[in-house]
């Protein structure tokens, strides 16, 4: 299994990439009437991603993994509601959020940081 440092670093890179894409091209990744919300999520991803990258190799890696867990848990909840309402692509979103939740929960609970 990967170490906490590896998981937090990987998710930090992924969140920075997703956040940058959502900020630069909000209409391509959301609906035209949701530009503000898409950019708000972009900022959330960028903050958690940069924080995770900065904290991954320090004693704060567990804190950033825990913040990832909280974020992914709320994304799972929102995606579950969307699946129940029949929103297109909600199932794929739920699967991705659940996978992220599992890895970040492992990293948050891991006793080995490196």
């Amino acid at each position: 299994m990967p170490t906490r440092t590896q998981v937090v670093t990987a998710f930090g890179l992924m969140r920075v990439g997703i956040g940058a894409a959502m900020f630069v091209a909000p209409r391509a990744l959301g609906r035209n009437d949701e530009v503000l919300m898409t950019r708000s999520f972009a900022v959330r991803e960028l903050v958690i991603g940069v924080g995770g990258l900065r904290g991954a190799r320090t004693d704060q890696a567990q804190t950033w993994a825990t913040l990832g867990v909280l974020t992914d848990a709320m994304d799972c909840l929102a995606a579950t509601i969307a699946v129940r309402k029949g929103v297109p692509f909600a199932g794929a979103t739920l699967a991705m959020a659940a996978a992220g939740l599992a890895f970040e929960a492992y990293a948050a609970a891991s006793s080995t940081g490196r």
Side-chain angles (χ1 to χ4, degrees):
M1 285 299 277
T3 65
R4 177 187 300 146
T5 299
Q6 292 169 327
V7 172
V8 173
T9 299
F11 275 83
L13 289 169
M14 185 175 63
R15 287 183 187 278
V16 167
I18 290 169
M22 291 172 79
F23 195 82
V24 172
R27 287 180 179 84
L29 300 170
R31 297 188 320 215
N32 282 338
D33 59 340
E34 297 176 344
V35 170
L36 177 60
M37 185 59 69
T38 302
R39 284 202 168 126
S40 295
F41 283 121
V43 171
R44 176 193 83 170
E45 292 300 314
L46 286 165
V47 168
I48 294 173
V50 170
L53 289 172
R54 293 191 67 186
R57 299 195 191 304
T58 70
D59 60 348
Q60 295 194 1
Q62 185 173 18
T63 300
W64 287 101
T66 302
L67 289 172
V69 167
L70 294 172
T71 302
D72 291 338
M74 292 300 104
D75 289 345
C76 281
L77 177 61
T80 298
I81 292 168
V83 166
R84 290 181 176 218
K85 290 184 176 186
V87 174
F89 305 109
T93 301
L94 177 57
M96 289 174 39
L101 177 59
F103 275 103
E104 297 229 54
Y106 163 79
S110 176
S111 60
T112 57
R114 295 176 191 229

